[in-house]
Every structure is written in structure tokens, then in C-alpha cells.
């Protein structure tokens, strides 16, 4: 274990730290040097002292009985410990959450303790730190205050009101009237609903209210049935209109969230941190550090420390006080071009040097390069721009230009076999990425489908949902839209794992969705919605009851294979939903089967995918964070999974909303499995020949750590029919 030569050495004071605690030791880990850890013995954290809140470099400590509190700053010394008077109310408040409004040096600093019906507070700054005050509020009519935060000198929180949605409120503890708290209701909180690309019902949802650069943010993170993060959503309050808007950036800041608080930091002070990103820790208690970039919708995972002996607490993120920015600080804004997700931040000074040291192809002037590019088809144009830095001066294609070039070139030259499609700019645009060459272009989403999420992709068509009751088909290359009937169901449309059998323009196209519902501790129910694309079609709904928890959720999209929709659940169990038309009753034509004799081929997997390859049904199982990968093929008589070592001349593309295998058209790309993950401009793939993950130009990688995963991504075949 690396140790410092200086006894008092701690990580860089100009960067946030991770702090791990047990009853005798603390470990500090700088986010700028994530593989170095510093063991400390801090008397302030000995015994039963717990960190329950933090603000601007200060920790609020409590004993396990919530009666003794103190304030402590680890960057000063142990003498910085400020003991607060004992809490002596009878009965002792059952505290739900804690708030340190500002550092003790602030004359307006308050320590607030929230229970189900009152706020207990004290002002640590002398001469006010003599006793605690308790203020009650009418919880019967206003609900309980949650996730309170200080912003612009005011206190905010949210609460439910008379059974309605959560309401954002502000309250003033300095103007309590006869020990009753006046609460002002401001607006409804954002509606929390899943928008993941594969249907899932929420298992857990973590929420924060955050002050950042004088703005009020609301962030919620959704975990699915496998305890995997499926969504991160960030909203910013418009103080003028008092409405929440989805955050397009975080004012260039990095926002840090943990179990007891939130803070922000300007990444310009330290390398290794990304602006407009949300960092959070250990929602699944695996010692991981996550970062989510709100401008591009990408999630990254790092393992910031070596394995530590148990027991250690979930880490806190601690921002030292002297890098805390005041409310009046002038801060950089976020990037203007939200569609660029591959981190292409060009340093202007570097660009100028490159232009001096490198010459353009045959020294052709830019005007001439534009004329040459205009003679190329869509894919030639994109590859021409990607040739070198100088050629990127050629203007990017707009949506209508790209679409027209695609239609023109489709019949004359074959397009790339598959593109990675990303929903960007708050789901108002698509970004298409060629996984082989790294070229990309943006295309606007049709106005009527902006904000919709892609549920499934097949044969160039996208099945899209507004997350509530509306679903539509879209061919982004022809701009054709086919509306589906309104869903009249108890769950939102995005809760269902969707699939369809054939081209939506075909009258025998079947659209099916599946969602698992836990009914008791030992039983579950699979609800199926289905419709057929014929005249006057409507949705049919029916349920399948299971004597197990098998269908509490799923993470891979269904597949239509040999007249049956096949599914892999969280446990790796395979099942079939067959449609055999016999009469006019659509529900009677559907049958459900889960072969009991078919064994799950492997255990302790993290992801699974289902697809058809060379006429065979195949499954892919991936270990946690890509630590291993196995491919299987389904065989019959008797039914069984058999391990696959090679897929020959095929290449596979997997994602939560589409997985497909096609014959390799480009030499050297066969026997690969492409994932919707990248580092820099390179898409991650697994080679069945080397049995390793690769990034072109960067060699092999061991696992998924430090790669970026767009949470709203799918594969699409660029076809124009």
C-alpha cells in the first residue's frame, strides 16, 4: 500500500476527495489521483461518530443516538472541532435527514435536523449556539419536508401535498410564528418516470436537491431490477417562471453527490475531472465511483481505490473549503454544442500549431475542398471530413442535407452495415456513429416525436415512446411515421420491454411488450401487451402468473424468432411467447412457455443479450463491468445451450434495445461483438479470436471501467425502405 513520506500528507487540497470511515481509521482518496490512498487516524471520527451532512469543507458529526453533534473540518486540524450543545428534547426527535446550511464562518450558518413533523435547529456561530430550537409544521396537510438545501440564502425542500405530486417549497426558520413553520409552495417537482430503452419497473430511486452556482438542481438516479443504474436525470429550476427544465449543462461545473449531501467544484482547478458532469458514489455498495455527463447522456464507472478490508462505510465526497466557490463567483458556462459526445475539445492554440506543422492534402484551398466534398455521397463526405484536422473545416451536413445524400447514395453504394444511434440534446436529435470509422452526423428528430425514447430497433425502423401512453414507428432515413393506438394500461409505456416481428408497413407485423410485476414474496406476474398492424387494430392485454420471482424485471430486448417472441430474464431463463392465429380473439392466439428443463448456462452475470445469428438463436452473457463474456447457441432434442467459440464471418452488435448479427462487409471486422461503449472516438468491441476487449488505436482493455456508456443508445441498420 503506497504511503506518504510526510505524516501530515493528504491528497491534493485543490481537488475533491473520497472519504471512507470505520470506527478506528479513515481513508482519503483524491479524485485527481484515484489509485493513491491515504490512511489516517482522526480522533474526531473515533467511536460512534457518524458523518451525517457536509457543506463547503465542513462535516456535521452525530453520535448514533442523534443527541450529540459537532462540526469538523479535516483540512484545518483537530482543534477545528466545534461541539454543539446536547439535544435534550423529550421525546428525542426521530431524525430523517440533516442539513448544514453553510460553513460555521458564515453568520447565517444553521444546523437543521428534520423529522416527520418538525425542524430542530441551532446557529453554531457565537453568541447563538446556546440551545436548540424546535419548530413544528402541519404534516397532516403539507406532508414531510424532504431533501432540504440552502440556495441563495433561502431554504428549499420538497413535500407531497394532499396526495398530489411532490411540491417544491421554501421555508424560513427565522420567521417561525408561535413555533409553527410557514411553508410557501412554489411549483410541482419534475415527474419521475423511467425513460430507459428497455422496459423496467423501478426498484430504487435516489434523489437530491442541489445548489450549484446559485442555481437549484434536482437529480434523480434510477436503478433497475438488477440493481444497475439505468437512468440519470437532471433538472434546473427556472426561478422566473417557477418551472423545472431539463438541465442542458451544469454551468461547466462538476457536481458531487453522496448519501448525506451534495457539493460542486470547478474542474478548471484540477485535471482529471469533467465539467457538466454528476459524480456519485456507491448506490449499490460496490465501492464504485460513477460520473454522468448531462450534455451527452454518457455514464462512466471507475474503481477509485484498491479493495479495502471490511467493514468500511460508503464513501463521502468531500470538497475542501478553500476551493469552495461563493455565490457571487463568475463561472464558465457549459459547451454550446451538445451533440458532440466524443470529447472532441479542440484547443485553439494546438489547432494553430497543427496547421503550421501539417499541410492540407495537395495544399488545396478550403473552397476547393468544399467543392470536392459536395461531389461525394453521404459516407464519402463524412469520411472525407474525418481525414485530418484541416478537413474538419469543411462544414458539417445539416439534417436535410444528410438525409438527401443518404437517399441518393443508398442504391449506388452500400451504406455502413450498422450505426450506433444516440439520443442527444434532450432527445430532440439523433447522432449516428459509424463504429468502424468513427465518423458521425446529427439528424433532428421529427417535431411530433421530440422527447420520445427509442424502445426497439429493427430493419431501419425505430419503435418510440413518449414514456406515457403514446407509441410510434419512425424510419429516420425516410422520415415516415406510423402512429400506434393509445395505450390504456396501468403502467407507463416505457415500463415495457418492446419488440416487433417485421416491417411496420407489413399488415402482419405484431408489436408486443412485456413487463414483470412482483405480486408476493414468492410469485410474480408477467403482463403482455400486443397489437397487430392491420385495419382498426387495438392493444390487447393479458397476464401470465408465475410461481417464482422470475419476471420481476428484464434488461435485454425481446427477439422475434421462428414465429415466437423470445425473452431472457434477469436470471437467464429463456421463455417463448407464440402467436398462432386461429380465431378473432387475439388474446387466445397467444401462448406462453418457459422450458423448465433448459438450464441457465452461466451464473453471476451482469448483462445478457438475445439475438439470431446465421439462423440460430444465440445468447451472450457478460460479467460485472465486462470482467468476462460467454456466447451460447440454442440446440434442440434435447433443448440446451452450447458454448460458442467463434461466429465465423459474422459480426454482432448488442445493446439493451437491439441486438443483431450480420455478415461482416469490412475485412477484419468479423468474429467481433460491438458494445455501445466508447473511449475518445473509439467504439468498444470484444474479439472472439483474442478473447479480449479492444479499442481501435488503444489496444486491449480489461473491462468496462473508464469507458463511456450512452444510456440512450441503440443500433440501427441504415435502410431506406
Amino acid at each position: 500500500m503506497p504511503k506518504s513520506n510526510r505524516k501530515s500528507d493528504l491528497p491534493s487540497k485543490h481537488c475533491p476527495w473520497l472519504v471512507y470511515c470505520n470506527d478506528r481509521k479513515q481513508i482519503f482518496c483524491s479524485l485527481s489521483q484515484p489509485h493513491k490512498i491515504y490512511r489516517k487516524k482522526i480522533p474526531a471520527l473515533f467511536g460512534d461518530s457518524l458523518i451525517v451532512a457536509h457543506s463547503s469543507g465542513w462535516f456535521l458529526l452525530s453520535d448514533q443516538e442523534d443527541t450529540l453533534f459537532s462540526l469538523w473540518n479535516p483540512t484545518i486540524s483537530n482543534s477545528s472541532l466545534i461541539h454543539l450543545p446536547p439535544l435534550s428534547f423529550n421525546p428525542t426527535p426521530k431524525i430523517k435527514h440533516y442539513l448544514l446550511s453553510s460553513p460555521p464562518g458564515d453568520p447565517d450558518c444553521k444546523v437543521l435536523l428534520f423529522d416527520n413533523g418538525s425542524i430542530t435547529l441551532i446557529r453554531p456561530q457565537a453568541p447563538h449556539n446556546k440551545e436548540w430550537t424546535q419548530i413544528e409544521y402541519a404534516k397532516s396537510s403539507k406532508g414531510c419536508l424532504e431533501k432540504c438545501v440552502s440556495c441563495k440564502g433561502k431554504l428549499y425542500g420538497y413535500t407531497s401535498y394532499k396526495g398530489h405530486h411532490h411540491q417544491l417549497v421554501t421555508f424560513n426558520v427565522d420567521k417561525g410564528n408561535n413555533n409553527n413553520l410557514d411553508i410557501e409552495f412554489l411549483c410541482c417537482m419534475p415527474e419521475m418516470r423511467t425513460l430507459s430503452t428497455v422496459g423496467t419497473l423501478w426498484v430504487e430511486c435516489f434523489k437530491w436537491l442541489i445548489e450549484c452556482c446559485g442555481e437549484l438542481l434536482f437529480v434523480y438516479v434510477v436503478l433497475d431490477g438488477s440493481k444497475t443504474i439505468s437512468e440519470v436525470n437532471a433538472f434546473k429550476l427556472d426561478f422566473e417562471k417557477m418551472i423545472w427544465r431539463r438541465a442542458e449543462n451544469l454551468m461547466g461545473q462538476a457536481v458531487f453527490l453522496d448519501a448525506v449531501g451534495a457539493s460542486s467544484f470547478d474542474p478548471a482547478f484540477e485535471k482529471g475531472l469533467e465539467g457538466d458532469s454528476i459524480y456519485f458514489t456507491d448506490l449499490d455498495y460496490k465501492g464504485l465511483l460513477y460520473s454522468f455527463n448531462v450534455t451527452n447522456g454518457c455514464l462512466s464507472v471507475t474503481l477509485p481505490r484498491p479493495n479495502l478490508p471490511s467493514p468500511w462505510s460508503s464513501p463521502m465526497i468531500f470538497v475542501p473549503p478553500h476551493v469552495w466557490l461563493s455565490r457571487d463567483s463568475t463561472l464558465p458556462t457549459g459547451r454550446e454544442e451538445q451533440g458532440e459526445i466524443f470529447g472532441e475539445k479542440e484547443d485553439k492554440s494546438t489547432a494553430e500549431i497543427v496547421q503550421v506543422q501539417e499541410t492540407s492534402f495537395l495544399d488545396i484551398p478550403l473552397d476547393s475542398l468544399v467543392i470536392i466534398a459536395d461531389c461525394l455521397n453521404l459516407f464519402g463526405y463524412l469520411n472525407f471530413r474525418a481525414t485530418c484536422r484541416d478537413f474538419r473545416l469543411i462544414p458539417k451536413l445539416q439534417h436535410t442535407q444528410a438525409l438527401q445524400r443518404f437517399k441518393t447514395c443508398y442504391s449506388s453504394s452500400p451504406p455502413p452495415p450498422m450505426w450506433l444511434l444516440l439520443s442527444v440534446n434532450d432527445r430532440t436529435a439523433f447522432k449516428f456513429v459509424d463504429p468502424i470509422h468513427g465518423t458521425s452526423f446529427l439528424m433532428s428528430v421529427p417535431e411530433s416525436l421530440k422527447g420520445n425514447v427509442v424502445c426497439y430497433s429493427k430493419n431501419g425502423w425505430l419503435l418510440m415512446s413518449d414514456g406515457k401512453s403514446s407509441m410510434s414507428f419512425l424510419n429516420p432515413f425516410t422520415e415516415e411515421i406510423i402512429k400506434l393506438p393509445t395505450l390504456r394500461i396501468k403502467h407507463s409505456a416505457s415500463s415495457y420491454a418492446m419488440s416487433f416481428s417485421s416491417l411496420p408497413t407489413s399488415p402482419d407485423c405484431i408489436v408486443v411488450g412485456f413487463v414483470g410485476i412482483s405480486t408476493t414474496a414468492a410469485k410474480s406476474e408477467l403482463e403482455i401487451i400486443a397489437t397487430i398492424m392491420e385495419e382498426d387494430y387495438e392493444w390487447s392485454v393479458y397476464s401470465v402468473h408465475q410461481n417464482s420471482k422470475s419476471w420481476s424485471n428484464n434488461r435485454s430486448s425481446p427477439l422475434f424468432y421462428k414465429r415466437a417472441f423470445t425473452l431472457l430474464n434477469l436470471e437467464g431463463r429463456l421463455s417463448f411467447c407464440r402467436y398462432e392465429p386461429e380465431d378473432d380473439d387475439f388474446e387466445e392466439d397467444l401462448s406462453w412457455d418457459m422450458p423448465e428443463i433448459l438450464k441457465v448456462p452461466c451464473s453471476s452475470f451482469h448483462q445478457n443479450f438475445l439475438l439470431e445469428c446465421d439462423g440460430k438463436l444465440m445468447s451472450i452473457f457478460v460479467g460485472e463491468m465486462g470482467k468476462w463474456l460467454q456466447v451460447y447457441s440454442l440446440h434442440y432434442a434435447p433443448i440446451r445451450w452450447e458454448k460458442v467459440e467463434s461466429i465465423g464471418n459474422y459480426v454482432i452488435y448488442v445493446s439493451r434495445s437491439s441486438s443483431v448479427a450480420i455478415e461482416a462487409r469490412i475485412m477484419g471486422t468479423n468474429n467481433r461483438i460491438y458494445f455501445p461503449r466508447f473511449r475518445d472516438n473509439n467504439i468498444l468491441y470484444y474479439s472472439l479470436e483474442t478473447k479480449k476487449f479492444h479499442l481501435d488505436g488503444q489496444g486491449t482493455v480489461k473491462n468496462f471501467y473508464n469507458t463511456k456508456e450512452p444510456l440512450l443508445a441503440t443500433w440501427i441498420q441504415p435502410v431506406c425502405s
Side-chain angles (χ1 to χ4, degrees), residues 441-716:
F441 70 97
L442 287 171
M443 179 184 292
S444 296
V445 174
E447 192 66 33
S448 63
L449 297 180
K450 286 184 176 179
N452 279 224
V453 67
V454 177
C455 299
Y456 191 69
S457 171
K458 183 176 181 177
N459 297 331
W461 284 85
L462 303 173
L463 179 60
M464 305 187 68
S465 166
D466 68 350
K468 297 180 181 179
S469 60
S470 175
M471 301 196 77
S472 305
F473 281 109
L474 169 67
N475 186 325
F477 307 109
T478 64
E479 297 186 305
E480 185 176 359
I481 299 174
I482 301 175
K483 290 285 188 180
L484 291 172
T486 300
L487 280 164
R488 295 176 176 85
I489 48 180
K490 58 184 176 182
H491 304 294
S492 65
S494 56
S495 299
Y496 292 80
M498 302 298 301
S499 180
F500 55 93
S501 60
S502 56
L503 290 175
T505 52
S506 171
D508 60 354
C509 174
I510 307 169
V511 187
V512 175
F514 305 87
V515 65
I517 308 161
S518 297
T519 54
T520 67
K523 295 183 179 181
S524 64
E525 177 181 284
L526 179 67
E527 184 171 288
I528 304 173
I529 57 173
T531 187
I532 188 167
M533 301 293 289
E534 58 185 12
E535 189 176 357
D536 299 326
Y537 56 90
E538 292 291 341
W539 290 99
S540 298
V541 182
Y542 80 103
S543 300
V544 176
H545 297 276
Q546 298 285 320
N547 292 322
S548 70
K549 298 280 289 183
S550 299
W551 282 106
S552 59
N553 270 305
N554 59 286
R555 291 204 73 225
S556 61
S557 55
L559 173 72
F560 188 73
Y561 176 73
K562 292 186 177 180
R563 298 195 61 80
F565 288 94
T566 58
L567 300 93
L568 275 177
N569 68 4
L570 286 178
E571 299 174 350
R573 297 284 306 278
L574 185 69
S575 55
F576 302 90
C577 180
R578 290 184 173 86
Y579 172 63
E580 298 173 351
E582 295 181 358
D583 50 40
D584 294 333
D585 190 338
F586 190 87
E587 182 174 328
E588 294 295 328
D589 295 336
L590 289 175
S591 62
W592 176 261
D593 180 34
M594 179 183 288
E596 294 293 335
I597 64 172
L598 181 60
K599 304 299 182 182
V600 178
C602 58
S603 60
S604 301
F605 59 88
H606 182 66
Q607 289 179 299
N608 56 31
F609 304 97
L610 198 62
L611 65 145
E612 180 181 353
C613 180
D614 195 19
K616 298 178 180 179
L617 187 64
M618 285 191 176
S619 60
I620 299 174
F621 292 83
V622 185
E624 184 176 5
M625 292 307 296
K627 293 180 180 179
W628 54 265
L629 182 147
Q630 295 177 11
V631 182
Y632 296 90
S633 175
L634 187 68
H635 290 253
Y636 296 89
I639 188 169
R640 68 199 183 279
W641 289 110
E642 291 190 356
K643 195 169 183 179
V644 174
E645 300 293 343
S646 173
I647 54 174
N649 195 43
Y650 281 84
V651 56
I652 291 174
Y653 303 85
V654 297
S655 72
R656 292 186 62 186
S657 54
S658 64
S659 296
V660 64
I662 61 174
E663 289 193 68
R665 299 178 185 173
I666 301 174
M667 184 178 297
T669 62
N670 65 301
N671 221 16
R672 293 180 179 180
I673 302 173
Y674 280 89
F675 285 78
R677 290 179 175 273
F678 61 88
R679 184 185 294 162
D680 299 328
N681 288 330
N682 300 304
I683 300 288
L684 183 76
Y685 68 87
Y686 181 85
S687 170
L688 287 168
E689 180 178 352
T690 65
K691 308 300 181 185
K692 295 180 179 179
F693 287 99
H694 294 258
L695 287 163
D696 284 332
Q698 298 185 18
T700 62
V701 294
K702 293 182 179 180
N703 46 49
F704 291 163
Y705 291 114
N706 298 307
T707 62
K708 295 183 178 182
E709 178 191 14
L711 294 182
L712 295 178
T714 189
W715 296 99
I716 186 170

Side-chain angles (χ1 to χ4, degrees), residues 245-266:
R245 303 184 187 277
R246 189 170 291 273
E248 296 181 356
N249 60 64
L250 300 177
M251 295 73 72
Q253 299 296 284
V255 170
F256 300 97
L257 312 174
D258 58 34
V260 299
S263 51
S264 61
F265 179 78
D266 188 344

Side-chain angles (χ1 to χ4, degrees), residues 4 6-11 20 22 24-28 37-43 45-46 74 312:
S4 170
R6 294 181 297 165
K7 293 182 179 180
S8 62
D9 190 23
L10 281 175
Y20 299 84
N22 68 6
R24 298 298 298 172
K25 292 181 181 179
Q26 295 75 42
I27 283 183
F28 290 78
I37 67 173
Y38 302 78
R39 294 180 182 272
K40 308 297 290 184
K41 291 185 178 181
I42 300 173
L45 296 178
F46 280 7
W312 290 92

